[in-house]
Amino acid sequence: MRTAGPVLVVVAAIFAIWYAAVPVMNIKETLTGLERAGAQVTPDSPMARRDAGHLGLVLQNSFAIPATYAQDRPRLPAPHQVVLDLWDTTVEKKVTSKRSLVYHGWITLSATLLGFVIGTGAGILLAVGIVYSRAMDMSVMPWAIASQTIPILAIAPMIIVVLNSVGLQGLVPKAIISAYLSFFPVVVGMVKGLRAPDAMQMDLLRTYNASRTQAFWKLRLPASMPYLFASLKIGVAASLVGAIVAELPAGGATGLGGRMLTGSYYGQMVQIWSALVFAAILAAGLVLIIGVIQRGTLKRMGLA
Amino acid sequence: MTLVALALILWLAAWALNVRLANGPGSHTPAVRLAVPAIFGLTLLVMWELLVRGLEVPLVILPAPSQVAVKFAEELPTLWLDFKQTFLKGALSGYLIGCGAAFATAILVDRFDFLRRGLLPVGNFVAALPIVGTAPILVMWFGFDWQSKAAVVVVMVYFPMLVNAVAGLQETTAMQRDLMRTYGAGYWASLTKLRLPAALPFIFNGLKISTTLALIGAIVAEFFGSPTMGMGFRISTSVGQLALDMVWAEIVVAALAGSAFYGAVALVERRLTFWHPSQRKQQH
């Protein structure tokens, strides 16, 4: 509760700045529209307005401020416009409609989840291999770390096109890119976690005459859980980014990435914003779900 | 088929060699530590070349490494142009602005407890969101040239850097801070002499994460519109023309730039945080 007050103040400040910025960002387009509608605007030549400062125009034409909040294609939509569009495209539209964000969100989410499951599974397997095989550790791990410094997303368009030419379309190519992005956080976290038991704990198991498999299931794997969940939170957010970016090269047909791309083609800022907010809600929700599972699991294990 | 068989034999031989090296007596020497990953990487490249030629994969779909190397050498001027546009102008300027702004905010957040309790949860939340999605908005606001790419990078690196820097500034113990107070050190003296040095490992963690984000941000932002150059522009248009050898050449540039950028930051880190346990030489 100690944080609730300050967080609310900060969020309120962000919204206040946002509302204050809307007239400044939108004034030029609004004035052009109002002039066409026959209103008297202060510098009446478009040329003079083009060279004038945004803030000055707002001050000179204070009557236009309400109109800046109701632009059809604003440069910066007001928060309530985004919320209205979000409401309109999620609740009001049928879920199967191509104009429904739920439909596009599900397309992105399904690729995200499939990719996340593949990436996590592969990551855990590789981590086990790395922990138990010295050769794998020495040869694969440096490349795994180096690959983190490479902008993997640069490869996304190529993977899409290559898989498309082999006949794979839709869900699977996107899931592969998502899987790739969630893969490495899981590998790195899991290797760290599986190595978390110290020498004394390993020695204790040896005095119990435990086999290697028993040591794995009863000590290493449970010890790695906090690390695994920390990685999963990063991984699931990365998966969503991967799925969204993977939708860009398809030319903006479907999915949240597609909505952003078509919005950017047609100058529909509100559409971009609502897709972005929807993606943010999705990401926050996914991280939240992992957090709940984490709390439950760790509590059952007596770790939290 | 002989090429495929050769590839498999080569793979097994190289793996056997790596197992021997890794489990052998000299596995802790620097030479072996370098050789094992190098052998692994080289095998992958040679396998790729042999498999592509052996299985007669259409070279349009998956170019062999040798072709990519040839293309890389041929297109050096274009690649340099793209590198300048995307990395030097877009990513690097955005990185400097974003990390600088985040650092300044972190000092403020650290000074005022109210901000720490209010801004930090928001920052943690925003850091997990798909910020790449702001690219179309920022491209519309700042135009097609590098300024919009820098803006995307600023937004992307700001929050991870902020969260890390604030965590770092909290790193000192109450006892250390009390010691500074007994020396009569004021806020600024204890900030520059105690808390900033103690925060350096965290700050560099943020800086290192941000190097990758910066390059990703600059490249992805170019998918939403760019002048007729830049790595993201070249990748998306070359994919459209099925000139995949050019795409791979750009990926090589991205990989080199990303690794060099990360390496440079890590090098500075080693110089400045030599006292930290993670920087000490491993002893066996």
Side-chain angles (χ1 to χ4, degrees), chain B residues 3-191:
Chain B
L3 285 179
V4 178
L6 194 64
L8 285 178
I9 291 168
L10 191 83
W11 173 263
L12 289 175
W15 189 249
L17 178 65
N18 262 351
V19 169
R20 271 187 72 111
L21 279 177
N23 296 324
S27 68
H28 292 301
T29 57
V32 174
R33 283 178 165 278
L34 263 178
V36 171
I39 291 171
F40 181 75
L42 268 179
T43 336
L44 279 189
L45 274 185
V46 177
M47 288 258 304
W48 175 0
E49 180 88 35
L50 289 175
L51 284 180
V52 166
R53 299 207 182 274
L55 296 174
E56 287 173 354
V57 179
L59 294 177
V60 183
I61 291 180
L62 188 63
S66 55
Q67 282 179 303
V68 176
V70 168
K71 191 75 178 175
F72 186 89
E74 275 175 4
E75 297 285 348
L76 222 46
T78 318
L79 293 172
W80 173 242
L81 202 69
D82 294 343
F83 173 77
K84 269 199 302 194
Q85 170 74 16
T86 305
F87 185 78
L88 295 183
K89 288 185 185 167
L92 205 57
S93 55
Y95 179 82
L96 292 177
I97 299 171
C99 289
F103 184 70
T105 320
I107 301 266
L108 273 183
V109 167
D110 182 61
R111 182 95 216 234
F112 302 104
D113 193 50
F114 184 83
L115 272 183
R116 188 175 61 78
R117 278 187 281 145
L119 197 59
L120 218 54
V122 178
N124 263 322
F125 173 74
V126 176
L129 301 182
I131 300 183
V132 177
T134 55
I137 297 167
L138 292 168
V139 168
M140 268 190 194
W141 286 356
F142 293 96
F144 281 175
D145 208 353
W146 63 270
Q147 289 89 345
S148 60
K149 282 54 183 184
V152 174
V153 174
V154 168
V155 179
M156 277 185 80
V157 302
Y158 183 80
F159 287 103
M161 183 65 202
L162 176 68
V163 171
N164 273 293
V166 172
L169 287 171
Q170 316 251 301
E171 180 57 9
T172 49
T173 61
M175 197 148 9
Q176 289 169 321
R177 272 171 283 162
D178 283 347
L179 182 64
M180 287 305 277
R181 214 164 298 141
T182 60
Y183 290 161
Y187 170 77
W188 288 107
S190 78
L191 180 70

Side-chain angles (χ1 to χ4, degrees), chain A residues 2 6 10 25 75-76 134-135 138-139 143 148-149 153 158 161-162 165 237 248 261 264 267 269 273 276 280 284, chain B residues 15 22-23 28 37 40-41 61 114 117-119 125 128-129 133 137 140-141 212 216 224 239 242 244 248 258-259 262:
Chain A
R2 259 164 50 84
V10 166
M25 289 291 288
R75 259 157 69 83
L76 175 65
R134 210 179 140 62
M138 286 181 76
S139 49
W143 291 105
Q148 287 286 287
T149 68
L153 285 181
M158 192 191 53
V161 167
V162 167
S165 65
L248 299 181
L261 200 61
S264 120
M269 286 298 245
W273 277 89
L276 190 62
Chain B
W15 189 249
N23 296 324
H28 292 301
F40 181 75
I61 291 180
F114 184 83
R117 278 187 281 145
L119 197 59
F125 173 74
L129 301 182
I137 297 167
M140 268 190 194
W141 286 356
T212 325
I216 287 178
F224 287 98
V239 162
L242 272 185
L244 289 193
W248 278 103
S259 314
Y262 186 93

Side-chain angles (χ1 to χ4, degrees), chain B residues 185-205:
Chain B
Y187 170 77
W188 288 107
S190 78
L191 180 70
T192 50
K193 299 229 157 63
L194 170 67
R195 319 238 321 273
L196 274 184
L200 278 181
F202 287 81
I203 291 174
F204 273 105
N205 193 25

